[in-house]
Amino acid sequence: MTTMPSLIPRHGHHRAAERLREIHGAVVDRGSSVVLVAAPYGGGKSHLVDTLLTGTTGVTTVLTRALPWEHDVPWVTADRILQRLPRGAAGCDEETPGALPVERTATQVVDELGAALGGAGAGTVIVIDDADHADPDSLRALGSALEASVDGSVLLVLTAGNPSEGQSADLCATLARETLHLGALDHSEIRALAAARTGREPSAAAARRILDYTGGAADAVAAVVDEASDSWWTSPFSPPPLPSSVELETGALLAGLEPGDRAVVEAAAVLPPPVLLESLAALVAARPGGSGEAGRVLDALDAAHRAGILRVDLSPGAAALTFRSPLVRTAVLRGIPPRELLSLHTVAAGLAEVEDPDAALDHLAATSTGPDPELCRVLRERARAHARSGHWSAAGHAYLTAAALTADPDEARGLHIDGIDALLGAGRISEAAALSHALDRVRPDRRRDAVLGSLALHLGHAGEAEALLRRALDPGSTGGPGDTAPDPVALAQKFVVHSLCLWRPDQLRQWAGVVIGSDQPDQPEVEEARAITVLGEAIDATPGAGDADEGRLGALAPAVAQRFEMASGWIALAHDDLETARRRLGSAVPTADVSGSARISLWAQAWLARTQLLRGDWDEALRVVDTAARRLDDLELDLLAPAIHWSGAVIRSMRGDHLGAAAHLRHLTTTADAYPVQIIPSAMGRMQVAAAAGDYTSVRRAAEPLHALSLRLDIDQPGFWPWHDLYAHSLVLAGRLEDAEALIGPPEQRAVELGHRSTQARLGAVRSRIAAVRGDAEECSRIFHRSLEYLDGLAMPYYSAQMHFGFGQTLRRAGRRREAHLALGTARDLYEQLGAHAYVERCERERRAGGVDVARAVGNSTLTPQERAVATLVAAGRTNAQAAEELFLSVKTIQYHLTRIYSKLGINGRTELAAHVARSRHPFGPEPADSGVP
């Protein structure tokens, strides 16, 4: 058997489609390529290539499917491709279309394919679906024809199962220059597929439910989506429909098993996956008339494996089995007669009671055919125990199960609210939001308002959260019977998080004092309040803030310690201690569904990405951002979207990936109802994307929400939100020197008092530029070099590159061109190491504009280096003001240069200049040659 080699990681379907389009674009420019798309049966290979072909227009496309029974027929696949290519390209007889010779040598077929592919046109796409069934002769001939073609530009896409076997599968792997291993559909892809097939926008909770139900298999997802009723989409916590095709297929497979083998499979379906072989044997043995003898159970599993129902993983010490898909397990469960199913759950509950009490309670709940007050009580106590340990997901599950087992509507309502609150603690915002729709919102209820206020907080609705939390706090808003006051400690802790998001450390410490001073020290809210208090003290620069008590951390439960790790890591980042930040934040990221909080994990990922950005680990930073972004989409935790996407937007814009940066910008918000912790990174991200494009007018526009926020809120704390320097640079470029000085004065003073080195470095660079504009070149240089010294030992190549670039611009404007050339060269080298291609290009443009060590060509049509820089920007669509800002020139100088440019090139305006650049290889005369001076 051949398993397709993992040449690159498994792809989601959106990413794989994007990659295929990228490869096709490269084929048009650089020549033919072969791509293998590998996925299990039902994994969506055919859907992916349909997406590719549907979106590919203006080029020749051919789709053929290899059939298993034609595997040994020579040239059958090649003949189909030749018949489906344009007949002129295939060299076919016009009078007998499709007629091809039968008796041919391999050389003849290769020549025919080569001629056909060469004449099919640039960007031709050929897809062989199920290519692992194609005849080997055709695959070899296609490979040879593509290799021999010099001028052809063909994308050959082969799809194959994984795993697959045989000679053709080996040939597919050999021919492919790149292999795309399709993984399961992710949450966002399921939402997109459902929208495309049903015309409705499914909730994140519905998509998660489908993902859990199908395992993300594309064909299974499509079947569930097609058969789901309208009512299911509005209440996705009921079981999704079981596709009739799966039910029929599974029923047929079970009917083919011996009765004893089927009984083992049914027992396996009752146990939660993955099923340990030891647990299965115990359950089979405990059934009336059952035999748990190991050999007998293995015989049954062998039969089920041969039937394709389940798979066994014989890992050392932990042999386990899984069904082929969650849908198959559901089909098996639905086929068990009710009495037998209740009996299996009862036996399973008894076996699990000691070692896995949560599983035992789930089995008992499955046997309850009506209200069960005693089981409801046990589940409620279990949920409280989980909450005290920080196991929020498990707590939420237990609360919601208990709610289904009580006949008292008020008790059910209270348990339902507690379950939503626990899911919020776990960060499962989308599920909490879906469940909240069932709450009565008309009758006054402070407990409900507290939970809905927390939900609004995590969705990033500051005004709504404030109103709901204040209403929950107000004793006068008590409703009628069934209304209960919220737990005061839990409510105070919600205000702690609310105050952090409002960036009010004073209020944060006030509410944290209420929580910490309570007489309930065993509640998890107390430790979370302690962690956020440490952060609040650091924001206010309280002496000793952020000091970690390593011994105390080790004594805490992992879910509680996660809060302290995140807070300590964020503080270390703000204090320029990037290594400690990387270690602490990395420790706070991992979380399991039953322990810790995805919400805290995402906070940690936001600051970990920022840490890696400053350290220069940009590839790793993007990996963290992309991972967190997928999790954000799944959870719908909109509050943290700007903090996550901020770093991604900065890196991708500086690397020249404008589409990628734009995708991040869509998640940024500066709306009136947003929290400051959303507005600040959103505005900073937009500022830095605009700066990467050299558009300093847009930098100033993007900074307006920050400036407005700073008038009513203290956001000048050194190290937390480094926004002042970029805004100040843009003000200097606009000639607003006094405004720039007024902006940087307060944070600069605080940085000096606290000895915050990176802030002093960044704001010093602004002072340096101001001195240059005022004509004091010596003071400019002195301030710059002093500022640069503050970065010594901090390992912040990002800041160093920014400072050298700005210094080089300033020196060039001051006429010190050779020093500018060297400073820009240093910036260029640093940006090149970071992969910041957009800034590498800007450094090169600045150096050319300086004209140092450039041999100018003579001739009336040849532009000077500075004229070249101006012409390049104007041809790219910059206004005179934007070009002036980017090149640090006056608008009048730009106008003067344009007059000379138009005269030299014999054109009449910027439209003709853009056309001249587009059609000419060397639009401004011979390229100047660098002398080689470093």
Side-chain angles (χ1 to χ4, degrees):
M1 179 174 290
T2 299
T3 299
M4 298 303 175
S6 296
L7 301 182
I8 57 176
R10 294 176 68 85
H11 281 62
H13 286 235
H14 285 342
R15 185 179 165 209
E18 290 172 2
R19 181 60 187 147
L20 281 176
R21 285 191 286 268
E22 289 173 2
I23 296 170
H24 182 244
V27 160
V28 174
D29 295 329
R30 296 194 291 271
S32 301
S33 189
V34 182
V35 178
L36 173 62
V37 177
Y41 172 75
K45 304 183 299 294
S46 300
H47 177 69
L48 176 64
V49 296
D50 285 346
T51 300
L52 171 68
L53 295 176
T54 301
T56 304
T57 59
V59 298
T60 301
T61 59
V62 172
L63 171 62
T64 185
R65 183 183 178 195
L67 303 172
W69 52 87
E70 294 181 337
H71 178 269
D72 297 321
V73 180
W75 317 124
V76 62
T77 302
D79 284 348
R80 288 208 178 100
I81 292 171
L82 287 167
Q83 289 165 351
R84 294 172 188 183
L85 283 168
R87 273 182 277 161
C92 298
D93 187 341
E94 293 291 340
E95 297 181 2
T96 56
L100 294 164
V102 178
E103 297 297 334
R104 292 168 291 168
T105 65
T107 302
Q108 289 174 317
V109 176
V110 169
D111 289 344
E112 290 172 12
L113 285 168
L117 297 176
T124 295
V125 179
I126 297 176
V127 177
I128 305 178
D129 203 8
D130 295 332
D132 46 339
H133 297 316
D135 64 288
D137 292 331
S138 291
L139 292 175
R140 293 192 193 93
L142 276 166
S144 298
L146 290 173
E147 191 66 30
S149 175
V150 178
D151 299 324
S153 59
V154 176
L155 173 60
L156 174 61
V157 180
L158 310 171
T159 77
N162 189 22
S164 58
E165 59 185 0
Q167 186 178 16
S168 294
D170 292 338
L171 282 169
C172 288
T174 301
L175 287 172
R177 296 183 185 178
E178 186 168 325
T179 300
L180 305 181
H181 292 274
L182 290 188
L185 294 177
D186 63 19
H187 168 269
S188 62
E189 290 169 335
I190 289 175
R191 295 184 76 176
L193 186 148
R197 297 179 78 95
T198 67
R200 69 172 73 243
E201 181 63 32
S203 68
R208 173 188 275 271
R209 184 74 168 171
I210 293 174
L211 178 60
D212 293 341
Y213 193 55
T214 63
D219 290 359
V221 170
V224 170
V225 165
D226 289 345
E227 296 190 24
S229 64
D230 290 342
S231 61
W232 183 82
W233 293 105
T234 59
S235 56
F237 289 90
S238 59
L242 179 66
S244 55
S245 58
V246 176
E247 192 166 17
L248 290 171
E249 180 191 7
T250 305
L253 293 174
L254 290 172
L257 299 178
E258 295 293 331
D261 296 340
R262 177 169 181 161
V264 171
V265 173
E266 291 173 344
V270 168
L271 297 173
V275 179
L276 295 179
L277 190 56
E278 181 182 8
S279 301
L280 176 60
L283 178 57
V284 172
R287 290 184 71 179
S291 171
E293 195 269 326
R296 177 71 197 86
V297 172
L298 286 174
D299 287 343
L301 294 180
D302 282 346
H305 181 82
R306 286 192 297 270
I309 297 174
L310 51 76
R311 303 182 180 88
V312 180
D313 176 16
L314 298 177
S315 300
L321 61 94
T322 55
F323 283 87
R324 189 182 73 204
S325 80
L327 286 175
V328 171
R329 176 175 177 255
T330 300
V332 173
L333 280 172
R334 292 193 182 179
I336 303 174
R339 186 182 297 277
E340 289 185 37
L341 183 60
L342 291 172
S343 174
L344 279 170
H345 277 300
T346 301
V347 174
L351 293 173
E353 187 173 5
V354 175
E355 294 191 2
D356 192 349
D358 289 320
L361 289 172
D362 282 342
H363 285 301
L364 289 174
T367 66
S368 299
T369 56
D372 190 330
E374 176 58 21
L375 183 55
C376 173
R377 182 192 65 78
V378 173
L379 281 164
R380 183 176 61 247
E381 293 305 314
R382 184 66 178 169
R384 290 172 177 169
H386 279 313
R388 284 192 294 272
S389 301
H391 296 168
W392 300 109
S393 284
H397 176 74
Y399 276 129
L400 294 171
T401 305
L405 295 174
T406 179
D408 182 345
D410 289 333
E411 183 183 26
R413 175 184 172 82
L415 290 167
H416 190 81
I417 291 172
D418 289 339
I420 295 172
D421 204 16
L423 291 179
L424 289 172
R428 293 167 60 180
I429 312 303
S430 58
E431 293 168 273
L435 286 165
S436 73
H437 296 315
L439 295 177
D440 172 18
R441 301 188 183 219
V442 177
R443 184 178 63 180
D445 188 331
R446 294 167 58 200
R447 190 175 172 194
R448 175 208 60 204
D449 289 340
V451 172
L452 292 180
S454 181
L455 175 60
L457 188 162
H458 289 96
L459 293 174
H461 302 157
E464 182 184 357
E466 175 77 16
L468 287 165
L469 291 175
R470 290 291 174 187
R471 201 159 68 194
L473 189 66
D474 180 10
S477 64
T478 303
D483 176 29
T484 56
D487 178 81
V489 174
L491 178 58
Q493 177 54 21
K494 289 175 173 58
F495 273 104
V496 171
V497 179
H498 179 58
S499 300
L500 173 62
C501 296
L502 288 171
W503 205 248
R504 290 294 303 272
D506 53 336
Q507 293 182 7
L508 183 159
R509 291 196 306 275
Q510 174 191 340
W511 285 109
V514 174
V515 177
I516 297 168
S518 71
D519 58 354
Q520 303 178 45
D522 62 334
Q523 285 194 234
E525 289 87 354
V526 173
E527 291 299 343
E528 181 167 356
R530 292 186 196 277
I532 299 181
T533 298
V534 171
L535 184 57
E537 291 173 347
I539 294 170
D540 269 352
T542 304
D547 294 344
D549 184 345
E550 296 282 353
R552 188 165 181 278
L553 276 180
L556 296 174
V560 179
Q562 182 193 27
R563 271 80 172 160
F564 281 93
E565 293 282 18
M566 187 279 290
S568 298
W570 189 358
I571 293 167
L573 168 62
H575 289 175
D576 290 341
D577 185 357
L578 299 189
E579 180 53 36
T580 298
R582 184 195 61 78
R583 176 169 54 84
R584 292 280 197 184
L585 294 167
S587 297
V589 166
T591 181
D593 282 343
V594 296
S595 178
S597 169
R599 169 173 57 92
I600 303 301
S601 178
L602 285 166
W603 274 105
Q605 285 177 296
W607 306 123
L608 179 59
R610 177 70 184 172
T611 300
Q612 290 160 335
L613 184 154
L614 296 182
R615 283 167 52 94
D617 299 332
W618 283 15
D619 290 338
E620 184 62 18
L622 287 178
R623 185 194 66 77
V624 172
V625 167
D626 292 344
T627 300
R630 288 192 292 272
R631 189 67 169 146
L632 274 175
D633 288 343
D634 183 9
L635 299 174
E636 292 192 335
L637 213 171
D638 297 342
L639 173 72
L640 297 184
I644 294 289
H645 287 280
W646 166 30
S647 295
V650 172
I651 294 174
R652 288 197 158 101
S653 66
M654 295 184 71
R655 287 187 163 179
D657 180 3
H658 305 300
L659 291 177
H664 290 297
L665 290 178
R666 287 195 291 271
H667 296 274
L668 305 184
T669 179
T670 54
T671 61
D673 195 41
Y675 280 98
V677 295
Q678 297 170 280
I679 294 171
I680 299 171
S682 294
M684 291 179 65
R686 287 174 177 157
M687 289 167 62
Q688 288 163 313
V689 169
D695 184 357
Y696 290 95
T697 301
S698 293
V699 170
R700 291 189 292 276
R701 188 180 303 115
E704 288 173 0
L706 279 176
H707 182 62
L709 191 63
S710 70
L711 298 178
R712 61 179 177 84
L713 194 66
D714 182 6
I715 56 174
D716 290 347
Q717 298 89 355
F720 283 95
W721 305 112
W723 65 279
H724 306 81
D725 56 319
L726 181 53
Y727 184 31
H729 279 301
S730 74
L731 292 173
V732 175
L733 290 170
R736 295 166 58 183
L737 304 189
E738 290 75 15
D739 289 342
E741 287 181 308
L743 175 69
I744 66 175
E748 189 176 40
Q749 180 61 35
R750 290 169 77 165
V752 171
E753 292 170 356
L754 296 172
H756 197 275
R757 293 164 59 191
S758 70
T759 299
Q760 291 182 77
R762 292 182 299 98
L763 299 183
V766 180
R767 291 279 183 200
S768 173
R769 175 167 271 179
I770 291 172
V773 173
R774 286 178 171 157
D776 193 342
E778 295 303 322
E779 178 69 359
C780 162
S781 183
R782 186 190 67 78
I783 295 175
F784 172 77
H785 287 99
R786 183 190 66 190
S787 300
L788 200 59
E789 289 175 1
Y790 289 126
L791 293 183
D792 285 350
L794 294 185
M796 293 180 168
Y798 172 64
Y799 283 160
S800 183
Q802 284 185 314
M803 290 175 63
H804 278 95
F805 178 68
F807 186 51
Q809 284 184 311
T810 303
L811 289 173
R812 186 181 65 76
R813 180 66 178 86
R816 299 171 66 169
R817 296 185 296 165
R818 186 167 295 277
E819 292 174 71
H821 191 79
L822 294 174
L824 290 164
T826 301
R828 183 203 178 283
D829 291 343
L830 288 168
Y831 282 133
E832 192 167 43
Q833 293 170 28
L834 296 171
H837 310 302
Y839 271 81
V840 169
E841 181 181 336
R842 291 186 67 190
C843 288
E844 291 289 4
R845 190 159 61 237
E846 287 280 347
R847 296 177 88 192
R848 288 194 297 268
V852 175
D853 297 320
V854 174
R856 299 184 183 179
V858 296
N860 195 43
S861 65
T862 301
L863 306 187
T864 67
Q866 197 163 83
E867 288 169 349
R868 288 173 181 272
V870 171
T872 300
L873 290 175
V874 171
R878 302 286 201 281
T879 65
N880 289 359
Q882 290 169 338
E885 284 196 352
E886 182 159 352
L887 295 176
F888 209 169
L889 300 171
S890 69
V891 174
K892 285 187 176 181
T893 302
I894 296 294
Q895 291 169 342
Y896 170 75
H897 282 314
L898 283 174
T899 301
R900 292 178 56 83
I901 290 165
Y902 298 157
S903 175
K904 287 185 177 184
L905 299 179
I907 57 181
N908 294 316
R910 61 182 64 229
T911 302
E912 290 187 18
L913 176 61
H916 176 77
V917 170
R919 67 173 177 261
S920 306
R921 184 174 181 183
H922 298 300
F924 311 132
E927 281 292 314
D930 196 298
S931 68
V933 176

